[in-house]
Amino acid sequence: MAVRLRAHHLLCVLTFVGRGYTPAFTANYRRVVARLNAGEPAELVEGPDDICAPMLKEQGSHCRTESVAQRDAQARAALAQRLGLMLEQGGRIVLTAERLTQMRAAYAEGAMQATCTGCEWAAFCTDIAGQGFAGTRLAGVRISPPAGSGSPD
């Protein structure tokens, strides 16, 4: 299995502290983050994803708007450049603790903020980053070194 995520949600999960648009949205988001913490990879999708699911029933949901699609394109480009990865539709990424550290550092440095322009959560997420991501729900998967490698965790 894989968690279906649109590109800009790879940034949103960095600052998720348990708040959202509605109680159903927040409960779903917590389940998605729990799956990522359990080691499920994120599969990059175009358009609405597993986080969007509860919002799709709402009239006027922003999940299918052009501005959100543009946010996805910006996030994909910024993350690909920063992480040195090809982030294409259908591609998978495991959110290890090390990768999250790298992504959060880029976010805190402002390297990703252009992606968040126009998002109603931008200031909230910037504040969370400014507090060192305290209270965020996504911890990342710990990958143990191969047996006998002598590498520290």
Side-chain angles (χ1 to χ4, degrees):
M1 299 256 335
V3 175
R4 297 173 54 254
L5 288 182
R6 61 189 320 154
H8 87 265
H9 280 163
L10 285 170
L11 298 177
C12 297
V13 296
L14 300 177
T15 60
F16 180 66
V17 293
R19 293 180 60 185
Y21 296 104
T22 66
F25 177 87
T26 303
N28 179 64
Y29 207 143
R30 286 183 177 144
R31 286 189 296 273
V32 168
V33 168
R35 290 172 58 197
L36 293 168
N37 280 334
E40 279 190 53
E43 179 180 340
L44 198 62
V45 299
E46 298 289 330
D49 62 6
D50 290 346
I51 290 175
C52 296
M55 300 298 290
L56 298 177
K57 299 171 193 159
E58 304 287 325
Q59 188 167 1
S61 169
H62 67 272
C63 298
R64 291 187 175 98
T65 65
E66 183 58 32
S67 63
V68 174
Q70 289 173 352
R71 190 170 296 135
D72 287 334
Q74 289 177 310
R76 184 181 306 104
L79 283 166
Q81 179 181 3
R82 185 62 181 238
L83 299 176
L85 297 173
M86 294 289 293
L87 295 175
E88 298 176 353
Q89 182 176 344
R92 291 184 176 197
I93 181 172
V94 176
L95 299 177
T96 63
E98 295 76 18
R99 183 159 284 143
L100 285 179
T101 297
Q102 186 181 18
M103 291 168 67
R104 284 183 171 134
Y107 190 94
E109 292 165 10
M112 306 293 160
Q113 264 53 5
T115 299
C116 305
T117 301
C119 175
E120 66 184 274
W121 294 91
F124 180 77
C125 295
T126 298
D127 287 346
I128 290 168
Q131 297 169 22
F133 299 91
T136 56
R137 303 284 177 121
L138 185 61
V141 178
R142 283 270 169 216
I143 303 294
S144 299
S149 70
S151 300
D153 188 27

